Amino acid sequence: MDSYIVSDELHQTVGEHEHEHDEEGNKMFGFIVFLLSESVIFLSFFAGYIIYKTTNPNWLPVGVSGLEIKEPAINTVILVASSFVIYLAEKALQRHNLWRFRLFLFTTMAMGSYFLVGQAIEWSHLEFGFTSGTFGGMFYLLTGFHGLHVFTGILLQLMILVRSFIPGNYDTGHFGVNSTSLFWHFVDVIWIVLFLLIYIWQ
């Protein structure tokens, strides 16, 4: 009789774990679909940029010879490096090292903020605006839309950082952390393409 009860409880526990696993898997699948839809938007922007650039003989605004590369390149290195830092944060959480998780996550947020500040400084020193021809419009649209995603990523990181102080919050799963990390990698990859298109291919 006792062995029957233990077996029944064990079966119930296994069933609950499988249900939680399936629920996290379904959530992540939905999030990946969301990122794919975001990719379509960015790909359409990339295609538009390439078409306009290759078909417009007067691509750059009057009086503008090109974009400064040094500072954006430094910002790019910082942003791409932050992907490795948030990966370390994920690993720290998997090892139940909350303080290391918080440290790496805070560092990622700081690196993302550095990127945004650098972009704002760049914008303030540019000699053209959003209405300065097709290039001006595309430049601010692409970098601004991407900057909005970076800002969103930092907010998501702040949320999971705050939630890490709630006792037992991550005992039942890490979906919020894993999806935020995946979003951050996505934002970084998009920026690499943008940097190549806008700054390298001038």
Side-chain angles (χ1 to χ4, degrees), residues 85-100:
V85 180
I86 201 169
Y87 170 76
L88 294 176
E90 270 190 286
K91 290 299 177 185
L93 184 62
Q94 290 171 7
R95 297 187 181 101
H96 307 289
N97 191 332
L98 274 180
W99 282 109
R100 181 165 291 189

Side-chain angles (χ1 to χ4, degrees), residues 41-60:
I41 297 174
F42 275 108
L43 285 174
S44 64
F45 286 161
F46 297 160
Y49 184 90
I50 293 171
I51 291 172
Y52 281 128
K53 178 175 170 56
T54 54
T55 58
N56 193 337
N58 300 314
W59 176 238
L60 294 175

Side-chain angles (χ1 to χ4, degrees), residues 27-109:
K27 287 180 182 176
M28 186 55 75
F29 176 76
F31 190 73
I32 290 173
V33 171
F34 164 72
L35 289 182
L36 288 175
S37 66
E38 288 282 294
S39 302
V40 172
I41 297 174
F42 275 108
L43 285 174
S44 64
F45 286 161
F46 297 160
Y49 184 90
I50 293 171
I51 291 172
Y52 281 128
K53 178 175 170 56
T54 54
T55 58
N56 193 337
N58 300 314
W59 176 238
L60 294 175
V62 177
V64 177
S65 58
L67 293 168
E68 173 65 35
I69 296 181
K70 182 181 176 182
E71 295 301 327
I74 294 173
N75 288 338
T76 300
V77 171
I78 297 293
L79 188 65
V80 173
S82 70
S83 260
F84 294 99
V85 180
I86 201 169
Y87 170 76
L88 294 176
E90 270 190 286
K91 290 299 177 185
L93 184 62
Q94 290 171 7
R95 297 187 181 101
H96 307 289
N97 191 332
L98 274 180
W99 282 109
R100 181 165 291 189
F101 164 72
R102 291 163 185 154
L103 175 63
F104 283 130
L105 194 60
F106 182 78
T107 304
T108 306
M109 293 168 60

Side-chain angles (χ1 to χ4, degrees), residues 131-163:
T131 58
S132 302
T134 307
F135 174 77
M138 290 299 292
F139 174 85
Y140 283 100
L141 174 65
L142 289 172
T143 57
F145 192 57
H146 175 266
L148 182 64
H149 280 72
V150 174
F151 182 68
T152 302
I154 294 172
L155 287 181
L156 291 173
Q157 290 165 30
L158 178 61
M159 288 173 59
I160 60 175
L161 178 64
V162 171
R163 292 178 67 86

